[in-house]
Amino acid sequence: MFEECFGNGPFIFRINDAGAGPQLLAQVCIERGWREYNPETNENHWNLWWKTSGFSNGHHKNIYAFQFLNHIPKGSTICRKDNLIRYLRCMRKVYGSVYDFSPHGYNLPLEYTKLAAECSRSRPPSYRDENLRLPEEKPIWICKPVAQSQGRGIFLFKKLSELNYDTNTIVQRYIEKPLLIGGYKFDLRLYVCVPSYQPLVVYMYKEGLARFGTDKFSLNDLKNPFRHLTNSSINKLGPGYAEMKDRVGSGCKWTLRQLRRYFQQASIPDWLIWQKITSLVVLTILSQLHQIPPTVNCFEFFGFDILIDSALRPWLLEVNLSPALSNDCDADSLVKKPMLHDMFDLLGLPLYNTGLSIFNVWLDGTSDNDSFLVRVRGKPKKTVCREEDFDAKMSLKGTVTILNAAGRWRRKVRRMSAHQSSYSSTSTGRARVRSSPPTNQRSYMKLPKAQLGNPTTPLTSNVPKENTVDEDLRRPGFKTWGNGRDWRRPKARDGGWVRVWPLDSEEQLDGNNNVSISGNTGLNKMGVKAMVNKIGKFNKTAKELAKKHPAASEGQLTEFLQQELAISGDLWIPPL
């Protein structure tokens, strides 16, 4: 059964096209016992392809059932700054103030005249003359090139005459009163995983990063990027990076756990902040829901940048398609490595053998004679052994690191049935997930179907009768991945990942999320409206509870909110 899901042989990961990519990502993949892709020997035999850029439609149409991509078709449009402004503006016009969480902005050069008119309106009536207007009464704007990242090309200005650009750019109102720690500006980098858009499933990782500027914040100096920009790629080059800064210390990053402890020491009530951020994330993803086609075996991994102002109001700055996976400091190691491991567990990607030794022992949970699978140098064998032989094999776990990982994986996921009639040594007969089979040759997908019963009982898998891929894809609401992962019934939590949408119990998911029915435009629009209204109610209820119970603890407020809205899962709140 395991071979049907992930193919015959080692689990192979592929990073970008030439193999160059985030070193931490490759390290995590190797720690999980995966083997790196070699174009000379592996050809098209790989299991996970991770690209920092997007994939073409052809890649999504031609993947096999055991292959997975880290991008969803059209799922990254909100990562372009100009698209994000346009989408949120449209959603604000339709749904009102619930979408008022992004600074007002303009896309240039298309909306230059609107920006000029806004700058003119923002001048006090008695100071229309440029020579008489007080400089402190001018609004501050921030200019960001659309095609740049890591803070490149960003600058601040007050006068329209100071605006100079040579490419597509956005200009937004600058948040002039950010929340400061020790006099330093900071923002939040939060990690979001979307494994499915139809039905919509959104997870947020419990940990994240607070990223600081390395010079103290001041509006008197708009040309110093270390005062106003919090990108770590910029601030790690600043003169104050290694210095011991007031309250912040050395470096430019904290974990969210450190930030929450500071909030606690400073008596800053932060429970409502995290609920507002949850709403902000889901509403942002909803803004592009209408254009996402039905897909399987792919996911999106976003980095949300959020600023908190002095009134404790969160603002969305931008959404990153490929959030940095560098390992520059201790905060990076504490957050990113566990986050990647937990995300691969969430997606059902295995801790698997490298094909070099006996790295995996898979129990047959349905057998009465304690049979199990042993993989020796990539060759599977089914073995029936006595209890003492089994104990001897399991004793290898003390000396082989990958075996430890495999045991943890085996305990975490459902026990896979080892009953197979034969093992295929080639991949020529494997079914493609999206492509249509030739008329003279039928393609079949022999994959386990998850049988879900009581949530407290472990999942079991059975081998169904052979169904063509086309028949499965034509079935309404078909969203099962090649590894049997069904996002119509998402877990409330998996490792450090917390489900923030859907809020309801699994039984209510299909009824409330009408977008799970593909091909019906009317139902899709109704579904988006219903979801926006539900998030608006969530946000409003959280505000009312925080106001009504100012002395209540975090746990009490969480319980009140869960009871008010019948939320079946956990609320996303960073750890203390």
Side-chain angles (χ1 to χ4, degrees), residues 312-332:
L312 303 184
R313 178 181 179 181
W315 295 88
L316 175 65
L317 300 182
E318 62 183 55
V319 182
N320 295 271
L321 172 64
S322 298
L325 295 176
S326 58
N327 192 13
D328 299 328
C329 59
D330 292 339
D332 285 335

Side-chain angles (χ1 to χ4, degrees), residues 369-427:
N369 57 0
D370 293 333
S371 64
F372 57 91
L373 288 178
V374 179
R375 179 171 292 280
V376 182
R377 299 189 181 276
K379 299 180 180 180
K381 297 181 180 179
K382 186 168 183 178
T383 307
V384 179
C385 71
R386 299 186 305 272
E387 183 177 355
E388 56 268 28
D389 294 331
F390 174 77
D391 292 339
K393 291 179 182 296
M394 292 303 289
S395 66
L396 290 172
K397 294 175 68 176
T399 57
V400 184
T401 304
I402 303 300
L403 270 179
N404 293 333
R408 182 165 62 87
W409 166 258
R410 188 178 61 251
R411 290 191 299 272
K412 186 165 186 176
V413 299
R414 65 182 182 272
R415 295 179 182 270
M416 305 291 292
S417 173
H419 178 67
Q420 296 181 20
S421 57
S422 63
Y423 292 93
S424 174
S425 61
T426 63
S427 61

Side-chain angles (χ1 to χ4, degrees), residues 331-346:
D332 285 335
S333 300
L334 290 173
V335 174
K336 296 178 182 179
K337 183 179 287 189
M339 179 264 297
L340 288 173
H341 273 296
D342 286 349
M343 183 172 66
F344 292 147
D345 288 344
L346 170 71

Side-chain angles (χ1 to χ4, degrees), residues 179-181 247 258-273 310 312 550-552 576:
L179 181 64
L180 304 178
I181 295 181
R247 300 303 299 263
Q258 290 175 281
L259 179 65
R260 292 209 65 202
R261 288 176 178 174
Y262 168 80
F263 284 163
Q264 196 175 52
Q265 295 170 2
S267 300
I268 297 176
D270 62 340
W271 179 85
L272 184 58
I273 296 176
S310 57
L312 303 184
L576 258 176

Side-chain angles (χ1 to χ4, degrees), residues 447-459:
L447 298 177
K449 303 294 182 181
Q451 305 295 327
L452 297 176
N454 191 328
T456 60
T457 61
L459 296 172

Side-chain angles (χ1 to χ4, degrees), residues 143 153 155 157 160-167 169:
C143 179
F155 64 92
F157 66 94
L160 195 60
S161 59
E162 298 173 348
L163 175 60
N164 185 18
Y165 62 96
D166 56 2
T167 183
T169 301

